[in-house]
Amino acid sequence: MKQDQKALGRESWRVFFAGVGGQGTLLASRVLGEAALLVGVHVVVSEIHGMAQRGGVVESAVLLGKIESPTISDGEADVLLGFEPLETLRAVRKCNEESLVISNTSPLVPFTIASSSSSNYPDIEEMMSMVARRVGRLITLDALELARNAGSELTANMVLLGALLRHGDLPFDRQAIERVLTMKTKKSFLEMNLKAFELGFQQQ
């Protein structure tokens, strides 16, 4: 099952994950990393998270293939996977004019905005337009709604992972992710996670 990376036309992939605590951002990055290991692709996974238990910013990076640094500096991301629209906009600094951005459009309003009478959550369409102007390609999807269709809002991370495997041009196919989910997911949640992954994978 080992992949020929050179045959894919490139030797490294930098995927940046951005979300907030409770969205399963770190789990998604770990599943991607384990899928890489499964097919023999060198991988480094790093995590940066602050007040995750309070809905704070959570960022992680998955670097695949021939890499020299374990981090993704500004402008270096090949793919940005945004779990929350405002966090997608915040993290677009990691992208360049050729980057692919896949973003959830369902907001998780930060506590500081939800509790303030003077602050409003930014317009999502406007934010996505700002992102689109700075990157090569933007794909948006309502991951929360698709997760509900799969059976639980908690599977939104698997929806986004499915979209990543569909569009990310990664050095392995969806079967690697499905094998990791089958090995690591509790039996009672497996079918729901696989369905969520499939719904994400179907997104154009």
Side-chain angles (χ1 to χ4, degrees), residues 10 13-17 72 76-81 94-95 98-102 164 167-170:
R10 57 190 306 178
W13 293 258
R14 294 173 174 81
V15 185
F16 193 81
F17 292 67
I72 299 176
E76 286 188 342
D78 298 302
V79 183
L80 165 61
L81 195 62
K94 295 290 184 181
C95 299
E98 296 182 354
S99 301
L100 165 67
V101 175
I102 300 171
L164 173 63
H167 300 284
D169 191 28
L170 299 179

Side-chain angles (χ1 to χ4, degrees), residues 25-36:
T25 309
L26 300 182
L27 175 60
S29 61
R30 289 169 186 162
V31 169
L32 185 65
E34 292 198 24

Side-chain angles (χ1 to χ4, degrees), residues 105-169:
T105 57
S106 183
L108 188 58
V109 181
F111 174 76
T112 51
I113 291 180
S115 62
S116 172
S117 59
S118 59
S119 299
N120 295 314
Y121 190 87
D123 181 81
I124 295 172
E125 187 173 337
E126 184 176 334
M127 286 194 291
M128 293 299 103
S129 295
M130 294 170 65
V131 171
R133 288 195 292 270
R134 296 182 58 174
V135 302
R137 186 183 180 197
L138 170 65
I139 295 172
T140 59
L141 66 160
D142 188 340
L144 195 61
E145 180 61 28
L146 291 169
R148 292 190 187 107
N149 293 339
S152 170
E153 293 183 357
L154 296 177
T155 62
N157 57 346
M158 295 298 112
V159 171
L160 289 163
L161 203 53
L164 173 63
L165 263 290
R166 175 64 177 266
H167 300 284
D169 191 28

Side-chain angles (χ1 to χ4, degrees), residues 11-13 15 36 41-43 62-67 170-172:
E11 295 184 336
S12 64
W13 293 258
V15 185
V41 174
H42 179 66
V43 60
V62 179
L63 299 100
L64 305 164
K66 187 177 180 181
I67 55 173
L170 299 179
F172 47 83

